[in-house]
Amino acid sequence: MRIEAKAILTSLAVLALVLATVLTANRLFYVNDIYQSESAYVEKLLKVVIANLDIMYDDLLEEKQEAADRAKRSLGRRNNAVLEVLAAIRQAQPASAEARRTALNYLRSNRKKFRDIAIYSKDLEPLFISDPALDNASWSASEQTLRPSFLENFFNEARTSSTAFTEGEWPLAPGNAKTRNLILAQLFRPWEWLVFSFVPAPDVQTAANILTENILDELAELNNSLHLSGHGYFMVTNGDGELLVHPKLPRGRGQDMDLISGKPLWRLFLEAAQAGRNSVEYIWLPEGEGKPEESKISFFQRFRPLGWYVIYTINKKKLEAPARRTAKTESAILAAILLVASLALFFFMRRHTLPLRRVTTALTELPSRGFRMDANALAELEQKYGQGADEPSMLLRTFGQMQEQLNLYVDELDAATRETDAYARDLSELNRLLDLRVQERTADLTRTNLQLQEEVSNRERVEQALRSSRRQLSLVVDGVPARICQLDRRERFLLVNRLYAKDFGLSKDNFIGKQLGAFFDDVDMARIRPMLQKALEGEESSGEITMHTTQVADRTTAFTHIPHRDDRGEVIGVITMSRDITEQKRLERALVRNRERAEAASQAKSMFLANMSHELRTPLNGVIGMLESVLLTGADTEWESKLSAALEAAEHLARLVDDVLDFSRVEADKMTLDSTPFDLRRLSSSIDNILRPQFKKKGLGLSWESDRDLVHYLVGDARRIMQVVVNLLSNALKHTTAGGVRVHISQESDGAQEDDLILALQVVDTGSGIPQDKLESIFESFTQLEETGQRSSGGAGLGLALCRRLARLMGGDVVAQSEPGRGSAFTFTAKLRRAPRDFEAEPAPAETVSTAASGYSVLAAEDNPLNAELLRHHLTALGHAPILVANGQEALDALAEKNFDLILMDMEMPVLDGLETTRRIRAGESGRNDPNIPIIAVTAHALPEYRKMCEQAGMSDYLPKPIRFNNLAEVLGRQLLPRT
């Protein structure tokens, strides 16, 4: 038993040593592999975090620089405003002392405008501080101890340079702590005044602080989004060991790592960093009672721009847990093997040598027999050695059982072998298919690589074409005679053309990336920004603004803002085009002034002609009326021809006055045409009645012809048509000595509308004719056919010019055809319309005055004695009882005393004119007379607007001067009924 025990103990010791060696080595190799894998993972993770921090820190620096630039521009504008005020006051007041007092008083009275401004003398005495609490004597005394030393440096630097920027401490109120500010100092050299403005430096740092908070927020989000293993976590600290980001703390802001851990961990990190290591191993005591200490390893990297440490911490226990589980499993397996080996040794020592050899031999033969023992041999052994209770017997019986079990295992192993062979064949087929797939994938990758190379070549060609197009576009934009720029949604310049930069006296590079507000003051930006906002909302905007830039002052600019859209149609910026229209505006104002002067001159001319017409027609009225009155009452034969000649000359003069007035109205574009229905036959009859006596007197014939389908009822200005035809017939009468004159009337459709017609009246004479080279010149103003001093006929040369212009106003023309010695043909055309179907022409007036009403009481208001006498004569001859007054007031007085049947009212009279008198009569101020009494306007004004003025005042009818007996009788016949 000693030998057996020693063998057993020796075997157990050897197996235990082997077990311990295997477990220790396995654990060391496994833990080392885990540490290496975790270290590589953490290193990549920290590089990703540091790369993100670099990107966010670049944004932080850019925003901080932009905030500082904005603050400097704001300080520059404040200082410039003060310097401009000081310069203006100094220039306005020669006396230096008085100018300085005026400047300080102005600044103190406008403190709100000049905020955060201070002015010091060359002796460093405070002259002006925008805060009222600072600008007093007591503060000036106490401030001597608080004045920063950099004030003297400002003076020295401002004397050598135009501006000086710095940061320094400055008290905001008496007794308050000093605050750090950004300060700009400039020297007003004429008076040796130091002008500086300041803004709190924390305001400049605000944007940077906000971005720092954003960086920490993004790091916290990154911490939550990282797929970290279950045994590690991520955190960030500042350079003082305060936690900034931690997964289990709310941002961890301001919490010290040493206070949380209860140990000087931060010192361990600093020592590791100084030693060049990037990891620290330490013991961590979790919060809560009864919890054991934890061994941890922290990997870290420093982000030097901000002095932060990015740390990844691993729990060693959790990291080594898989290794411990593997060691336990292996220990259990080795223990089982040790137990089986010990039992086998024990039974082996208990058996005899022969049985053991027989068993050994049988075992040795097992591989050759396919691990199957002969049943007969096994039975023989069991019969011979296995019947007893000793160890060999038991071993043999056990061996028999093991053989049976082994046979079962061999059967199962054979089946597994067959399955393994099938799996091997399947695996081989899969490897073959995988090789084919790899080959196909390699071919696909080769083709894809070729396509990518072709795409790269195409992209290079496209980029080269794009660069060429951009150069051409830049040349085109620079060649446009307008200022062009492109802005993004933050009003930053993306592009400017050559003219834009030239107008500011800068290069194009000075604009790119800068804000629009850097080149315009606040007032201009307040007017520009609404147009920019409108364009950013997707609508094109334009306008005109008088700019006040620092380079160019008081220049009017026309802006057009066009939305700049991307491929998806979203507005990403604004394209602005502007032109300097200062000179254009000046010319427009000059043109407006010239036009106003021209209109005033035209109005003065019109008034002058109207007044001259009135003044000429008034005496002509008396002359023609008196001559006609003498001829009507009868005169001896000797004087009758002389008076008739004088009457004809006076009438010719009256027509000349009318022509001059009408021509001036046409020249001034003041002529307006009526559009009323009229009867063409009645118009022709009226013209014939006027001119036939003159034709008879000269022994010439006057004949009228017309087409059969002539439309008689038309719409147009019958008075102007009559004026043109009378002028043409008068010219024909004047230049015809034998034969006669024929008038042919025709019409044709205008074609535009059914009721539109073109009326044509052709006047054909048998006169001397007109040379072909004179046919157009006769229509020029003040031009006559005879160019020598010997004139065969009279005239002022206005008739045909006026006829053509009136015809063209009516949409037609006057053209001439002539042959010397054989007469002339003048054709007058005008566009007219058919009269409405319900139009009825007025009955023709009485040809004589014998049927006119008589025996009425007539009040005549006329201030001209000659015209008053003429009215008395004509009214008495018509059988009426006239009462004459000299003005409107006398007319009202006469109406208050006596009833009248009709009033003849001159328009222009002293005291009270005819229009006002008529309005008062219609208002019931005429006393006992009916306010609806007929009132006839008698005036030398022949313009249509005067007729309208009479109608608006309430007058019943209109009688122009000169007053003809028949015309007066006709008007009275329309307004008065015959007495029975």
Side-chain angles (χ1 to χ4, degrees):
M1 291 298 295
R2 293 179 181 176
I3 297 174
E4 294 174 357
K6 289 180 179 179
I8 292 172
L9 292 175
T10 303
S11 300
L12 290 176
V14 171
L15 289 176
L17 179 61
V18 171
L19 175 63
T21 303
V22 171
L23 290 178
T24 302
N26 190 25
R27 181 176 181 183
L28 290 175
F29 286 125
Y30 190 78
V31 171
N32 184 60
D33 182 67
I34 291 177
Y35 279 177
Q36 291 180 354
S37 176
E38 194 70 15
S39 298
Y41 171 76
V42 171
E43 183 178 357
K44 293 180 181 179
L45 176 64
L46 293 180
K47 286 182 179 180
V48 171
V49 175
I50 293 298
N52 279 277
L53 277 176
D54 284 332
I55 295 173
M56 291 185 285
Y57 183 73
D58 290 341
D59 293 340
L60 169 67
L61 294 180
E62 182 180 356
E63 187 63 28
K64 184 174 180 181
Q65 184 60 39
E66 289 182 1
D69 291 342
R70 287 195 298 271
K72 289 182 179 182
R73 289 195 296 272
S74 175
L75 293 176
R77 287 194 292 270
R78 294 181 192 176
N79 267 24
N80 288 338
V82 175
L83 294 174
E84 289 175 0
V85 167
L86 297 179
I89 294 176
R90 177 178 175 272
Q91 185 176 4
Q93 296 184 357
S96 178
E98 183 63 27
R100 294 178 184 181
R101 286 192 295 271
T102 301
L104 293 177
N105 291 335
Y106 178 79
L107 293 175
R108 292 188 180 106
S109 62
N110 293 274
R111 292 180 185 273
K112 293 182 178 180
K113 179 178 179 183
F114 302 101
R115 58 188 179 86
D116 297 332
I117 295 293
I119 300 177
Y120 278 78
S121 68
K122 63 181 179 179
D123 298 326
L124 304 184
E125 294 297 330
L127 300 177
F128 168 76
I129 301 178
S130 57
D131 189 347
L134 304 179
D135 194 11
N136 55 63
S138 61
W139 170 242
S140 299
S142 61
E143 193 266 344
Q144 296 294 329
T145 60
L146 295 175
R147 182 188 303 130
S149 60
F150 58 80
L151 194 61
E152 297 179 359
N153 297 332
F154 267 160
F155 258 106
N156 297 330
E157 189 172 353
R159 287 189 176 96
T160 58
S161 62
S162 58
T163 58
F165 282 102
T166 190
E167 287 190 15
E169 294 182 348
W170 188 256
L172 296 179
N176 285 6
K178 297 180 181 179
T179 304
R180 192 160 189 83
N181 296 275
L182 179 65
I183 303 173
L184 168 65
Q186 289 178 285
L187 186 65
F188 186 64
R189 300 182 184 281
W191 295 343
E192 286 291 313
W193 282 6
L194 181 66
V195 179
F196 69 89
S197 57
F198 51 90
V199 296
D203 291 349
V204 179
Q205 188 67 22
T206 298
N209 293 339
I210 292 175
L211 270 182
T212 304
E213 294 294 327
N214 293 339
I215 291 175
L216 293 175
D217 291 337
E218 292 188 20
L219 286 176
E221 292 295 329
L222 180 64
N223 187 18
N224 296 330
S225 63
L226 289 174
H227 298 289
L228 303 177
S229 60
H231 49 265
Y233 58 91
F234 167 81
M235 60 183 176
V236 179
T237 67
N238 62 12
D240 298 324
E242 295 178 352
L243 288 171
L244 301 178
V245 175
H246 193 279
K248 296 182 180 180
L249 298 176
R251 290 287 298 276
R253 197 64 50 79
Q255 302 187 52
D256 189 82
M257 180 186 294
D258 293 346
L259 293 178
I260 294 176
S261 63
K263 296 182 178 181
L265 295 183
W266 184 241
R267 181 174 56 80
L268 296 178
F269 280 89
L270 294 180
E271 290 175 356
Q274 292 175 358
R277 301 195 308 273
N278 63 345
S279 63
V280 174
E281 186 172 352
Y282 57 91
I283 302 299
W284 179 273
L285 181 62
E287 296 181 359
E289 296 181 0
K291 292 186 177 181
E293 294 182 342
E294 298 177 356
S295 178
K296 294 188 177 183
I297 299 176
S298 293
F299 299 87
F300 63 90
Q301 284 193 15
R302 186 181 183 188
F303 183 64
R304 298 187 179 278
L306 294 177
W308 291 355
Y309 286 84
V310 182
I311 305 171
Y312 183 80
T313 301
I314 300 173
N315 190 316
K316 288 185 63 178
K317 182 178 181 181
K318 293 182 179 179
L319 182 65
E320 297 175 358
R324 287 195 297 271
R325 287 194 296 269
T326 302
K328 290 180 180 179
T329 303
E330 292 175 348
S331 299
I333 293 173
L334 291 176
I337 294 173
L338 178 63
L339 178 61
V340 172
S342 300
L343 291 174
L345 180 63
F346 176 76
F347 285 109
F348 175 78
M349 296 299 295
R350 296 288 300 271
R351 297 292 293 174
H352 296 287
T353 305
L354 181 59
L356 291 177
R357 285 201 301 268
R358 295 292 300 271
V359 171
T360 302
T361 303
L363 290 175
T364 304
E365 295 176 352
L366 282 179
S368 61
R369 295 177 180 271
F371 294 95
R372 296 179 183 272
M373 189 172 179
D374 185 14
N376 296 327
L378 182 62
E380 182 182 357
L381 287 174
E382 289 182 355
Q383 184 178 5
K384 185 176 182 180
Y385 298 106
Q387 301 301 321
D390 55 358
E391 290 84 352
S393 299
M394 296 176 63
L395 177 61
L396 287 173
R397 289 194 295 272
T398 303
F399 179 73
Q401 295 174 358
M402 290 179 61
Q403 180 60 42
E404 293 176 359
Q405 189 69 32
L406 183 61
N407 291 338
L408 294 177
Y409 289 158
V410 168
D411 293 338
E412 293 177 357
L413 181 60
D414 291 341
T417 301
R418 288 192 295 272
E419 290 181 0
T420 303
D421 293 340
Y423 289 155
R425 289 192 297 271
D426 293 340
L427 182 60
S428 177
E429 181 66 18
L430 288 175
N431 287 333
R432 187 183 64 82
L433 294 176
L434 182 60
D435 290 338
L436 293 177
R437 182 59 179 166
V438 169
Q439 293 175 2
E440 293 175 356
R441 185 60 177 168
T442 302
D444 292 340
L445 289 175
T446 302
R447 288 193 297 270
T448 303
N449 189 28
L450 293 176
Q451 292 176 357
L452 288 175
Q453 291 177 358
E454 185 177 357
E455 289 181 2
V456 169
S457 300
N458 293 336
R459 182 181 295 274
E460 290 177 353
R461 288 194 295 271
V462 170
E463 290 179 351
Q464 184 177 0
L466 181 59
R467 288 191 295 270
S468 178
S469 299
R470 286 178 176 173
R471 287 194 297 270
Q472 294 177 1
L473 178 61
S474 177
L475 292 176
V476 171
V477 171
D478 285 339
V480 173
R483 294 183 301 193
I484 299 176
C485 69
Q486 181 181 354
L487 307 173
D488 61 9
R489 295 191 66 88
R490 297 173 63 182
E491 298 180 2
R492 293 182 301 189
F493 284 96
L494 302 179
L495 177 144
V496 295
N497 69 342
R498 179 185 56 79
L499 184 58
Y500 198 102
K502 180 181 178 182
D503 286 352
F504 281 87
L506 301 172
S507 66
K508 293 193 289 187
D509 295 337
N510 295 124
F511 291 86
I512 305 304
K514 294 184 179 179
Q515 294 284 340
L516 183 65
F519 301 91
F520 299 95
D521 60 19
D522 295 340
V523 176
D524 292 338
M525 287 302 300
R527 293 179 292 176
I528 295 174
R529 190 161 282 121
M531 294 188 288
L532 289 176
Q533 186 62 35
K534 187 176 180 181
L536 289 174
E537 293 173 356
E539 184 177 352
E540 181 176 335
S541 63
S542 59
E544 297 177 0
I545 298 176
T546 301
M547 308 300 296
H548 304 283
T549 65
T550 56
Q551 289 82 5
V552 182
D554 298 336
R555 304 292 294 180
T556 302
T557 304
F559 284 92
T560 299
H561 303 280
I562 303 173
H564 181 211
R565 302 178 185 272
D566 59 10
D567 295 338
R568 296 176 295 177
E570 296 181 358
V571 179
I572 60 175
V574 179
I575 297 176
T576 297
M577 292 182 288
S578 58
R579 294 183 299 106
D580 189 343
I581 59 171
T582 305
E583 188 64 22
Q584 177 182 339
K585 285 295 182 180
R586 186 188 65 78
L587 293 176
E588 287 178 359
R589 290 191 294 269
L591 288 175
V592 169
R593 290 193 297 269
N594 292 338
R595 185 183 63 190
E596 291 174 351
R597 287 196 292 267
E599 289 176 352
S602 177
Q603 184 69 20
K605 176 183 176 182
S606 299
M607 291 298 298
F608 171 75
L609 291 173
N611 293 332
M612 288 302 298
S613 173
H614 179 271
E615 295 301 321
L616 289 173
R617 292 170 69 89
T618 298
L620 282 174
N621 175 53
V623 172
I624 294 174
M626 286 302 178
L627 291 174
E628 186 180 34
S629 175
V630 173
L631 290 173
L632 289 174
T633 55
D636 55 24
T637 305
E638 180 182 357
W639 284 99
E640 183 177 0
S641 61
K642 297 179 181 179
L643 292 174
S644 297
L647 179 60
E648 183 178 353
E651 291 175 342
H652 177 72
L653 182 58
R655 288 195 299 271
L656 180 60
V657 171
D658 290 340
D659 287 347
V660 172
L661 179 61
D662 288 341
F663 186 79
S664 66
R665 287 170 54 76
V666 171
E667 285 286 319
D669 198 18
K670 298 289 186 179
M671 177 67 72
T672 56
L673 299 177
D674 290 335
S675 184
T676 56
F678 68 93
D679 185 352
L680 183 60
R681 290 170 299 187
R682 182 176 175 183
L683 178 65
S684 303
S685 178
S686 298
I687 296 173
D688 186 80
N689 290 336
I690 292 173
L691 295 177
R692 187 167 293 278
Q694 300 179 31
F695 275 83
K696 286 182 179 180
K697 182 178 179 181
K698 199 171 181 180
L700 301 175
L702 176 60
S703 61
W704 294 79
E705 300 174 356
S706 61
D707 295 345
R708 289 187 177 184
D709 56 350
L710 202 65
V711 178
H712 297 290
Y713 298 129
L714 302 172
V715 176
D717 195 333
R719 189 168 69 89
R720 296 300 177 188
I721 295 174
M722 181 177 180
Q723 182 179 359
V724 173
V725 177
V726 169
N727 256 314
L728 294 178
L729 287 172
S730 297
N731 276 344
L733 175 64
K734 182 168 55 177
H735 294 91
T736 303
T737 57
V741 177
R742 175 172 55 87
V743 181
H744 181 79
I745 306 175
S746 62
Q747 292 174 349
E748 64 181 20
S749 176
D750 187 12
Q753 295 184 6
E754 182 180 357
D755 292 336
D756 291 344
L757 298 172
I758 297 178
L759 176 66
L761 291 95
Q762 186 178 50
V763 178
V764 182
D765 62 48
T766 58
S768 57
I770 305 171
Q772 290 294 323
D773 58 347
K774 301 293 185 180
L775 285 179
E776 285 301 320
S777 62
I778 60 176
F779 290 102
E780 296 178 0
S781 305
F782 305 106
T783 300
Q784 294 180 335
L785 185 59
E786 296 84 356
E787 297 182 354
T788 63
Q790 299 176 355
R791 298 177 55 187
S792 61
S793 59
L798 287 177
L800 289 177
L802 180 61
C803 288
R804 170 166 280 184
R805 299 199 179 191
L806 289 175
R808 288 179 175 175
L809 284 176
M810 290 184 278
D813 203 352
V814 176
V815 295
Q817 297 175 342
S818 182
E819 185 177 347
R822 303 189 65 178
S824 304
F826 286 82
T827 303
F828 158 59
T829 57
K831 290 184 179 181
L832 305 174
R833 297 197 317 274
R834 294 175 184 265
R837 299 183 183 277
D838 57 353
F839 169 70
E840 295 182 1
E842 297 180 359
E847 294 184 2
T848 64
V849 297
S850 60
T851 60
S854 62
Y856 285 93
S857 176
V858 178
L859 176 63
E862 174 62 61
D863 62 317
N864 187 280
L866 182 60
N867 290 333
E869 183 60 29
L870 179 61
L871 285 174
R872 182 193 302 276
H873 181 273
H874 285 348
L875 290 172
T876 302
L878 290 171
H880 301 297
I883 299 295
L884 275 74
V885 295
N887 56 61
Q889 186 59 50
E890 292 181 5
L892 291 176
D893 295 341
L895 290 171
E897 297 177 359
K898 181 182 177 180
N899 289 331
F900 291 90
D901 299 310
L902 183 140
I903 302 174
L904 294 173
M905 185 74 69
D906 188 21
M907 286 183 64
E908 294 188 1
M909 295 182 295
V911 183
L912 195 65
D913 62 28
L915 296 176
E916 181 61 28
T917 304
T918 301
R919 283 192 284 266
R920 292 190 182 185
I921 293 173
R922 297 303 187 211
E925 299 181 15
S926 57
R928 56 195 294 178
N929 262 273
D930 182 8
N932 296 321
I933 183 174
I935 303 175
I936 300 172
V938 181
T939 178
H941 289 297
L943 301 180
E945 49 263 33
Y946 286 97
R947 182 186 291 270
K948 293 181 181 179
M949 291 168 58
C950 294
E951 293 176 356
Q952 293 172 357
M955 293 183 174
S956 308
D957 213 330
Y958 186 84
L959 181 63
K961 295 177 182 179
I963 301 173
R964 306 302 296 270
F965 184 79
N966 289 340
N967 295 341
L968 177 61
E970 181 182 352
V971 172
L972 294 178
R974 285 199 300 266
Q975 299 297 330
L976 296 174
L977 296 176
R979 290 187 182 277
T980 57

